[in-house]
């Protein structure tokens, strides 16, 4: 009685080894996109930390990378929609969208990737007639990719 116990503090270092959870709302793979309309990418992220970095990368006919650092409430999901401008794709082509998330500890979510076709909205070109030099048969400059071996009469 009257003896005191020694008080000791035990410190246990902890490390965040949990990667963020990532989902996204995108059009179905292969869906045709209109270059006049932005592509709405809506990543939904959840993490046990209070900060996540989201990255949206476009590759293919255009290359672009957008990064945002987002404050999140640990344990709650958060939707972070943004629009990606496709107007540079007026000539059509394929574009792949990749969405990634990394938390403050450097843990990376499994990336989500989807490829789309952007509609070619360039106006159709009409053939032009060009006269050759004297003594040569006339020839036609046709549409790009169209055969040009026809002569005019």
């Amino acid at each position: 009685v009257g003896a005191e116990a020694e008080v000791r503090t035990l410190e246990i270092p902890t490390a965040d080894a949990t990667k963020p959870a990532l989902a996204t709302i995108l059009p179905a793979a292969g869906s045709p996109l209109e270059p006049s309309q932005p592509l709405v990418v809506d990543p939904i992220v959840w993490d046990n930390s209070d900060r996540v970095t989201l990255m949206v990368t476009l590759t293919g006919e255009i290359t672009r990378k957008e990064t945002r650092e987002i404050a999140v409430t640990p344990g709650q999901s958060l939707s972070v929609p943004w629009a990606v401008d496709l107007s540079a794709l007026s000539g059509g082509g394929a574009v792949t969208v990749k969405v990634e998330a990394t938390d403050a500890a450097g843990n990376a979510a499994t990336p989500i990737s989807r490829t789309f076709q952007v509609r070619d909205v360039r106006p159709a070109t009409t053939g032009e007639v060009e006269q050759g030099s004297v003594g040569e048969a006339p020839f036609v400059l046709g549409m790009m990719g169209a055969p040009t071996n026809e002569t005019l009469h």
Side-chain angles (χ1 to χ4, degrees), residues 12-148:
I12 301 173
T14 59
D16 177 4
T18 304
K19 63 183 180 178
L22 178 65
T24 190
I25 298 171
L26 285 168
S31 295
L33 301 177
E34 294 291 330
S36 62
Q37 300 294 318
L39 170 62
V40 177
V41 179
D42 190 1
I44 301 165
V45 67
W46 175 95
D47 194 49
N48 61 350
S49 71
D50 62 354
R51 187 172 46 106
V52 173
T53 301
L54 290 172
M55 293 148 290
V56 174
T57 305
L58 275 64
T59 55
E61 295 298 318
I62 60 171
T63 303
R64 181 177 299 140
K65 183 175 185 175
E66 295 183 23
T67 302
R68 294 185 185 175
E69 189 170 306
I70 307 298
V72 296
T73 302
Q76 293 185 6
S77 62
L78 179 65
S79 170
V80 188
W82 73 74
V84 178
D85 180 25
L86 298 176
S87 62
L89 287 173
S90 63
V95 63
T96 298
V97 178
K98 182 178 177 183
V99 181
E100 302 171 88
T102 306
D103 68 14
N107 302 309
T110 302
I112 297 171
S113 183
R114 200 165 291 163
T115 300
F116 303 98
Q117 291 297 317
V118 180
R119 202 167 70 82
D120 185 346
V121 294
R122 294 176 297 190
T125 58
T126 56
E128 298 175 26
V129 176
E130 183 173 309
Q131 197 65 28
S133 343
V134 176
E136 292 182 10
F139 59 94
V140 175
L141 297 177
M143 293 173 42
M144 253 182 139
T148 57

